[in-house]
Amino acid sequence: MAERHTRRVLVLNGPNLNLLGTREPEVYGATTLADIERMMQEKAATLSLSIEFRQSNHEGQLIDWLHEARGWCESVIFNPGAYTHTSVALYDAIKAIELPVIEVHLSNPHARESFRHTSFVSPVARGVIQGFGAFGYLMALEAAAQF
Ligand code: CA2
């Protein structure tokens, strides 16, 4: 059987996700962002995926990374944090880059405050995985292996 080429995936994490595992474990769990990166690197290797894992608290930085992604990766796994619910700029950027973006949330925003029920990202995402904690990032890798 022909060997499958390694696919490149950008994993983006938005504001405050650097605090994971250090505060509010009842909502977001005890797993740190570094733990998630390690779990993803291990699974990516089994799926012939190569991942680049990044986090920023700055909307413009996330947008710059999305623009650059067009030049070097096949798909993006994105937890936009609270920008999910506020950012028309992220909607525009995702629409513009024409790459499959898999939106991921640790919690299920629909089971939380009403201001989290709207996502500006979902209409331009290829699909959404939410409510499964850190496992959702691994599910997203399975989805990314298709692109
Ligand atoms: O459930 C998710 O993954 C969210 O994207 C997380 C965002 C929240 O605003 C979204 O509605 C849903 C918040 C990320 C903040 O993460 C923290 C982690 C530890 C302590 C404080 C915040």
Side-chain angles (χ1 to χ4, degrees):
M1 200 167 81
E3 198 177 309
R4 193 147 196 268
H5 289 295
T6 302
R7 316 294 251 162
R8 290 152 301 181
V9 184
L10 173 63
V11 185
L12 282 188
N13 294 281
N16 297 310
L17 286 160
N18 53 311
L19 299 177
L20 264 190
T22 66
R23 299 206 175 77
E24 298 187 56
E26 65 288 355
V27 182
Y28 297 113
T31 309
T32 66
L33 204 58
D35 293 332
I36 292 177
E37 177 173 11
R38 253 190 312 276
M39 288 159 56
M40 289 188 87
Q41 293 288 5
E42 276 172 29
K43 186 166 178 77
T46 71
L47 293 167
S48 295
L49 297 174
S50 125
I51 64 168
E52 169 77 24
F53 192 94
R54 300 182 189 166
Q55 187 274 333
S56 176
N57 293 323
H58 304 277
E59 191 175 14
Q61 177 66 85
L62 294 164
I63 289 166
D64 287 344
W65 285 339
L66 286 167
H67 291 176
E68 286 165 18
R70 198 161 180 207
W72 67 268
C73 69
E74 278 76 42
S75 63
V76 181
I77 294 172
F78 191 14
N79 183 345
Y83 289 145
T84 308
H85 318 298
T86 63
S87 182
V88 176
L90 283 180
Y91 169 97
D92 287 342
I94 292 167
K95 196 165 182 206
I97 61 172
E98 294 178 329
L99 278 174
V101 172
I102 302 159
E103 180 183 351
V104 172
H105 298 284
L106 294 154
S107 64
N108 175 0
H110 291 283
R112 303 181 64 193
E113 303 96 325
S114 58
F115 61 81
R116 296 185 203 276
H117 296 181
T118 298
S119 168
F120 283 91
V121 171
S122 297
V124 282
R126 184 61 68 96
V128 187
I129 298 167
Q130 52 193 25
F132 298 102
F135 182 57
Y137 282 79
L138 302 182
M139 294 165 81
L141 275 179
E142 296 268 4
Q146 302 175 94
F147 302 119

